Coordinates of all heavy atoms in Angstrom, one line a residue:
N1 N 31.2 18.7 -0.7 CA 30.5 19.7 -1.4 C 29.3 20.4 -0.7 O 28.7 21.3 -1.3 CB 30.0 19.2 -2.8 CG 31.1 18.8 -3.7 OD1 32.0 19.6 -4.0 ND2 31.0 17.6 -4.3
L2 N 29.1 19.9 0.5 CA 27.9 20.4 1.2 C 28.0 21.9 1.5 O 28.9 22.4 2.1 CB 27.8 19.7 2.5 CG 26.3 19.4 3.1 CD1 25.5 18.7 2.0 CD2 26.4 18.7 4.4
F3 N 26.9 22.6 1.1 CA 26.9 24.1 1.3 C 25.9 24.4 2.4 O 26.1 25.3 3.2 CB 26.3 24.7 0.0 CG 26.2 26.2 -0.1 CD1 27.1 27.0 -0.6 CD2 25.1 26.8 0.5 CE1 27.1 28.3 -0.6 CE2 25.0 28.1 0.5 CZ 25.9 28.9 -0.1
Y4 N 24.8 23.6 2.6 CA 23.7 23.8 3.5 C 23.4 22.6 4.3 O 23.2 21.5 3.7 CB 22.4 24.3 2.8 CG 21.2 24.4 3.5 CD1 20.7 25.6 3.9 CD2 20.4 23.3 3.7 CE1 19.5 25.7 4.6 CE2 19.2 23.4 4.4 CZ 18.7 24.6 4.8 OH 17.5 24.6 5.5
L5 N 23.5 22.6 5.7 CA 23.1 21.5 6.4 C 22.1 21.9 7.6 O 22.4 22.8 8.3 CB 24.3 20.9 7.1 CG 24.1 19.7 8.1 CD1 23.4 18.5 7.5 CD2 25.4 19.3 8.7
N6 N 20.9 21.3 7.6 CA 19.9 21.7 8.6 C 19.6 20.4 9.4 O 19.0 19.5 8.9 CB 18.7 22.2 7.9 CG 17.7 22.7 8.9 OD1 17.9 22.7 10.1 ND2 16.7 23.4 8.4
V7 N 19.9 20.3 10.7 CA 19.6 19.3 11.6 C 18.8 19.8 12.8 O 18.7 19.2 13.8 CB 20.8 18.5 12.0 CG1 21.4 17.7 10.9 CG2 21.8 19.4 12.7
C8 N 18.1 20.9 12.6 CA 17.3 21.6 13.6 C 16.1 20.6 14.0 O 15.6 19.8 13.3 CB 16.7 22.8 13.0 SG 15.5 23.7 14.1
N9 N 15.7 20.8 15.3 CA 14.6 20.1 15.8 C 14.8 18.6 15.9 O 13.9 17.9 15.3 CB 13.3 20.4 15.1 CG 12.0 20.1 15.8 OD1 12.0 19.8 17.0 ND2 10.9 20.0 15.1
N10 N 15.9 18.1 16.4 CA 16.1 16.8 16.6 C 16.5 16.5 18.1 O 16.1 17.3 18.9 CB 17.2 16.3 15.7 CG 16.7 16.0 14.3 OD1 16.1 15.0 14.0 ND2 17.0 16.8 13.4
K11 N 17.2 15.4 18.4 CA 17.5 15.1 19.8 C 19.0 15.0 19.9 O 19.5 14.2 20.7 CB 16.8 13.8 20.2 CG 15.4 13.9 20.2 CD 14.7 12.6 20.6 CE 13.2 12.7 20.5 NZ 12.5 11.4 21.0
L12 N 19.8 15.8 19.1 CA 21.2 15.7 19.2 C 21.8 16.2 20.6 O 21.4 17.2 21.1 CB 21.8 16.6 18.1 CG 21.4 16.1 16.7 CD1 22.1 17.2 15.6 CD2 21.9 14.7 16.3
T13 N 22.7 15.4 21.1 CA 23.4 15.8 22.4 C 24.9 16.1 22.2 O 25.5 16.8 22.9 CB 23.2 14.7 23.5 OG1 23.8 13.5 23.0 CG2 21.8 14.5 23.8
T14 N 25.4 15.5 21.0 CA 26.8 15.7 20.6 C 26.8 15.9 19.1 O 26.0 15.6 18.4 CB 27.7 14.6 21.1 OG1 27.2 13.4 20.4 CG2 27.7 14.4 22.6
L15 N 28.0 16.4 18.7 CA 28.3 16.5 17.3 C 29.6 15.9 17.0 O 30.5 15.9 17.7 CB 28.4 18.0 16.9 CG 27.2 19.0 17.1 CD1 27.5 20.4 16.9 CD2 26.0 18.5 16.2
P16 N 29.7 15.1 15.8 CA 30.9 14.5 15.4 C 32.0 15.5 15.1 O 31.7 16.6 14.4 CB 30.5 13.7 14.2 CG 29.3 14.5 13.6 CD 28.6 15.0 14.8
E17 N 33.1 15.2 15.5 CA 34.3 16.1 15.2 C 34.5 16.3 13.7 O 35.0 17.3 13.2 CB 35.5 15.5 15.8 CG 35.7 15.7 17.3 CD 36.0 17.1 17.7 OE1 36.7 17.8 17.0 OE2 35.4 17.5 18.7
E18 N 34.0 15.3 12.9 CA 34.2 15.3 11.4 C 33.5 16.4 10.8 O 33.7 16.8 9.6 CB 33.8 14.0 10.9 CG 34.7 12.8 11.1 CD 34.7 12.3 12.6 OE1 33.7 12.6 13.3 OE2 35.5 11.5 12.9
L19 N 32.5 17.1 11.5 CA 31.8 18.3 10.9 C 32.9 19.4 10.5 O 32.6 20.1 9.5 CB 30.9 18.9 11.9 CG 29.5 18.3 12.0 CD1 28.7 19.1 13.1 CD2 28.8 18.3 10.7
K20 N 34.0 19.4 11.1 CA 35.0 20.4 10.8 C 35.6 20.1 9.4 O 36.2 21.0 8.8 CB 36.2 20.3 11.8 CG 37.0 19.0 11.7 CD 38.1 19.0 12.7 CE 39.0 17.7 12.5 NZ 40.1 17.7 13.6
L21 N 35.3 19.0 8.8 CA 35.8 18.7 7.4 C 35.0 19.3 6.3 O 35.3 19.4 5.2 CB 35.9 17.2 7.2 CG 36.8 16.4 8.2 CD1 36.7 15.0 8.0 CD2 38.3 17.0 8.1
L22 N 33.8 19.9 6.7 CA 32.9 20.4 5.7 C 33.3 21.9 5.3 O 32.7 22.8 5.7 CB 31.5 20.4 6.3 CG 30.9 19.0 6.7 CD1 29.5 19.2 7.1 CD2 30.9 18.2 5.4
K23 N 34.4 22.0 4.6 CA 35.0 23.2 4.3 C 34.3 24.1 3.5 O 34.5 25.4 3.4 CB 36.4 23.0 3.7 CG 37.4 22.1 4.5 CD 37.7 22.8 5.8 CE 38.7 21.9 6.6 NZ 39.0 22.5 8.0
N24 N 33.2 23.6 2.8 CA 32.5 24.4 1.9 C 31.1 24.8 2.5 O 30.3 25.5 1.9 CB 32.3 23.8 0.6 CG 31.6 24.7 -0.5 OD1 32.1 25.8 -0.7 ND2 30.6 24.2 -1.2
L25 N 30.9 24.4 3.8 CA 29.6 24.7 4.4 C 29.5 26.2 4.7 O 30.3 26.9 5.3 CB 29.6 23.9 5.8 CG 28.2 23.7 6.3 CD1 27.3 22.9 5.5 CD2 28.3 23.0 7.7
H26 N 28.3 26.7 4.2 CA 28.0 28.1 4.4 C 26.8 28.3 5.4 O 26.8 29.3 6.3 CB 27.5 28.8 3.1 CG 28.7 29.1 2.2 ND1 29.5 28.2 1.7 CD2 29.0 30.3 1.7 CE1 30.4 28.8 0.9 NE2 30.2 30.0 0.9
I27 N 25.9 27.4 5.5 CA 24.7 27.5 6.4 C 24.6 26.2 7.2 O 24.5 25.1 6.7 CB 23.5 27.7 5.6 CG1 23.6 29.1 4.8 CG2 22.2 27.9 6.5 CD1 22.4 29.3 3.7
L28 N 24.6 26.4 8.6 CA 24.4 25.3 9.5 C 23.4 25.6 10.5 O 23.5 26.6 11.3 CB 25.8 25.0 10.2 CG 25.8 24.0 11.3 CD1 25.4 22.6 10.7 CD2 27.3 23.9 11.9
N29 N 22.3 24.7 10.6 CA 21.3 25.0 11.7 C 21.4 23.8 12.7 O 21.0 22.7 12.3 CB 20.0 25.1 11.0 CG 18.9 25.6 12.0 OD1 19.2 25.9 13.1 ND2 17.7 25.7 11.5
L30 N 21.6 24.1 13.9 CA 21.7 23.2 15.0 C 20.6 23.5 16.1 O 20.7 22.9 17.2 CB 23.1 23.1 15.6 CG 24.3 22.8 14.7 CD1 25.6 23.2 15.4 CD2 24.2 21.4 14.3
G31 N 19.7 24.3 15.8 CA 18.7 24.8 16.8 C 17.8 23.7 17.2 O 17.6 22.7 16.6
L32 N 17.1 23.9 18.4 CA 16.2 23.0 18.9 C 16.7 21.6 19.1 O 16.1 20.6 18.6 CB 14.9 23.0 18.0 CG 13.9 24.2 18.2 CD1 13.0 24.3 17.1 CD2 13.1 23.9 19.6
N33 N 17.8 21.4 19.7 CA 18.4 20.1 20.1 C 18.6 20.1 21.5 O 18.1 20.9 22.3 CB 19.6 19.8 19.2 CG 19.2 19.3 17.8 OD1 18.9 18.2 17.7 ND2 19.4 20.2 16.8
H34 N 19.5 19.3 22.0 CA 19.9 19.1 23.4 C 21.4 19.2 23.6 O 22.0 18.6 24.5 CB 19.5 17.8 23.9 CG 18.0 17.4 23.7 ND1 17.0 18.2 24.3 CD2 17.3 16.5 22.9 CE1 15.8 17.7 23.9 NE2 15.9 16.7 23.1
L35 N 22.0 20.1 22.8 CA 23.5 20.3 22.9 C 23.9 21.2 24.1 O 23.3 22.2 24.3 CB 23.9 21.0 21.6 CG 23.7 20.2 20.3 CD1 24.0 21.2 19.1 CD2 24.5 19.0 20.3
E36 N 24.7 20.6 24.9 CA 25.3 21.3 26.1 C 26.5 22.0 25.7 O 27.0 22.9 26.5 CB 25.5 20.4 27.3 CG 24.3 19.8 27.7 CD 24.5 18.9 29.0 OE1 25.7 18.8 29.4 OE2 23.5 18.3 29.5
S37 N 27.2 21.7 24.6 CA 28.3 22.3 24.1 C 28.5 22.1 22.6 O 27.9 21.1 22.1 CB 29.6 21.8 24.9 OG 29.8 20.4 24.5
I38 N 29.3 22.9 22.0 CA 29.6 22.6 20.6 C 31.1 22.6 20.5 O 31.9 23.3 21.1 CB 29.0 23.7 19.7 CG1 29.4 25.1 20.1 CG2 27.6 23.7 19.6 CD1 28.9 26.2 19.2
P39 N 31.7 21.7 19.6 CA 33.1 21.6 19.5 C 33.8 22.8 19.0 O 33.3 23.5 18.1 CB 33.3 20.4 18.5 CG 32.0 20.4 17.8 CD 31.0 20.9 18.7
T40 N 34.9 23.2 19.6 CA 35.7 24.3 19.1 C 36.1 24.2 17.6 O 36.4 25.2 17.0 CB 36.9 24.5 20.0 OG1 37.8 23.4 19.9 CG2 36.5 24.9 21.4
T41 N 36.2 23.0 17.2 CA 36.6 22.7 15.8 C 35.6 23.2 14.8 O 36.0 23.3 13.6 CB 36.8 21.2 15.6 OG1 35.7 20.5 16.0 CG2 38.1 20.7 16.3
L42 N 34.4 23.6 15.2 CA 33.5 24.2 14.2 C 34.2 25.6 13.7 O 33.7 26.1 12.7 CB 32.2 24.6 14.9 CG 31.2 23.4 15.0 CD1 29.9 23.9 15.5 CD2 31.1 22.5 13.8
G43 N 35.1 26.1 14.4 CA 35.8 27.3 14.0 C 36.7 27.0 12.8 O 37.2 27.9 12.2
D44 N 36.8 25.8 12.4 CA 37.5 25.4 11.1 C 36.7 25.7 10.0 O 37.2 25.6 8.8 CB 37.9 24.0 11.1 CG 39.0 23.6 12.2 OD1 39.6 24.6 12.7 OD2 39.3 22.5 12.5
L45 N 35.3 25.9 10.1 CA 34.4 26.1 9.0 C 34.5 27.5 8.5 O 33.6 28.3 8.8 CB 33.0 25.8 9.3 CG 32.9 24.2 9.8 CD1 31.4 24.0 10.3 CD2 33.3 23.3 8.8
K46 N 35.6 27.9 7.9 CA 35.9 29.3 7.5 C 34.8 29.9 6.5 O 34.8 31.2 6.4 CB 37.3 29.4 6.9 CG 38.4 28.9 7.9 CD 38.4 29.6 9.2 CE 39.6 29.0 10.1 NZ 39.5 29.6 11.4
E47 N 34.1 29.1 5.8 CA 33.2 29.6 4.9 C 31.8 29.9 5.5 O 30.9 30.4 4.8 CB 33.1 28.7 3.6 CG 34.3 28.5 2.8 CD 34.7 29.9 2.2 OE1 33.9 30.6 1.8 OE2 35.9 30.2 2.3
L48 N 31.6 29.5 6.8 CA 30.3 29.6 7.4 C 29.8 31.1 7.6 O 30.5 31.8 8.1 CB 30.4 28.9 8.8 CG 29.1 28.3 9.4 CD1 28.6 27.2 8.5 CD2 29.3 27.9 10.8

């Protein structure tokens, strides 16, 4: 049921593949982390 997820300003280097399961997610903030790449599966979040 998650609509909004904010994990900005942390120390993330990777993201779990399971994020792709959040089919109702509209707003996602990954800013200010240490991500070198983001999974292509985020493209499954069609409501984003």
Side-chain angles (χ1 to χ4, degrees):
N1 290 313
L2 209 59
F3 182 99
Y4 171 100
L5 176 60
N6 189 355
V7 290
C8 173
N9 194 20
N10 278 283
K11 299 179 179 180
L12 300 177
T13 57
T14 60
L15 298 172
E17 285 289 323
E18 287 75 12
L19 276 182
K20 68 181 182 180
L21 302 176
L22 300 178
K23 302 300 185 182
N24 193 46
L25 196 65
H26 283 59
I27 300 172
L28 174 61
N29 191 1
L30 301 168
L32 279 165
N33 278 287
H34 305 296
L35 298 171
E36 295 184 359
S37 64
I38 53 177
T40 58
T41 50
L42 285 188
D44 292 344
L45 303 179
K46 303 303 183 183
E47 296 299 317
L48 205 63

